[in-house]
Amino acid sequence: MQFPILKNRNLYSLSGYLIANTLAYRLLQFTLPWVVYDLTLSGVQAALTFGVGIAPYLLLSFLGSAFIDCFNRKKILLYTSAFSCLSLIAFAVFIMHFQIASTLGFVYLVSFLMSCLHSLESPAFDATVVDFFKDDDFTAINTVREIILVVCS
C-alpha cells in the first residue's frame, strides 16, 4: 500500500511544527499549575491556574478565527509561534534565575498570555494547512494531524 501524501515535504514541516507546538503547550498546561501548587500547596490555586489558562482559549478562539481571516495567516502563525517560544524561554529564565515566579500574579499572567496566544495560533495553523496541500490530500492530512494530537496529548 502506498501513501503519496508521505512524499510531500510540507507534511513533514507542518507535522514537526505541530508536534513541537502541542508538546510545548501541553507541558505549559502541566507546569504552571505545578509551580503554583509548589508555591502555595493549594490544589484550589493550582486548579485556578488551569482555569485562567484555558478560559481565554475557549472565549477568544472564535474571535481569533475571525481575526485570522482578515490578515495574512502565515505571518500570524509565524509571529504567534515565535512570541510563544520567546515567552516560554523568558518564563524559564525568570523561574531559574530571578525567582520572579514566586509571585502568583506572574504565573497567572503567563498562563493567561499563553492561552491568548494559543487562541490565535491554533486557528492560524488550521487555516494555513489549506495553503500547502491539495484538496485530495485533506483526509490524509487530518488523519496525520489527529494522530499527532492524540499521541502528544
Side-chain angles (χ1 to χ4, degrees):
M1 192 183 305
Q2 292 188 350
F3 299 101
I5 191 66
L6 294 177
K7 295 179 182 173
N8 192 328
R9 188 180 71 162
N10 291 330
L11 175 70
Y12 294 109
S13 299
L14 289 175
S15 295
Y17 164 79
L18 186 61
I19 289 169
N21 186 28
T22 304
L23 287 176
Y25 187 69
R26 298 294 183 239
L27 185 64
L28 183 71
Q29 281 183 318
F30 174 75
T31 304
L32 290 177
W34 186 24
V35 168
V36 169
Y37 183 77
D38 189 45
L39 291 172
T40 64
L41 298 177
S42 169
V44 173
Q45 291 286 337
L48 181 63
T49 305
F50 183 76
V52 166
I54 201 74
Y57 179 75
L58 295 174
L59 298 174
L60 297 177
S61 289
F62 301 110
L63 296 174
S65 298
F67 182 76
I68 298 298
D69 291 337
C70 297
F71 298 100
N72 187 342
R73 297 180 288 234
K74 292 178 187 175
K75 285 185 180 179
I76 291 174
L77 182 62
L78 178 69
Y79 293 144
T80 55
S81 298
F83 191 72
S84 294
C85 181
L86 292 175
S87 299
L88 289 175
I89 291 170
F91 180 69
V93 168
F94 285 137
I95 284 179
M96 291 170 40
H97 293 293
F98 300 116
Q99 300 297 325
I100 196 169
S102 61
T103 61
L104 289 179
F106 179 73
V107 177
Y108 289 142
L109 178 67
V110 169
S111 181
F112 178 79
L113 290 177
M114 293 308 292
S115 182
C116 289
L117 283 173
H118 193 65
S119 69
L120 285 175
E121 194 172 11
S122 183
F125 177 81
D126 293 340
T128 304
V129 169
V130 177
D131 298 336
F132 289 107
F133 301 101
K134 298 180 286 191
D135 291 342
D136 300 341
D137 296 335
F138 284 138
T139 303
I141 296 302
N142 283 333
T143 302
V144 170
R145 179 179 184 263
E146 290 303 318
I147 289 170
I148 290 170
L149 290 176
V150 167
V151 170
C152 291
S153 294

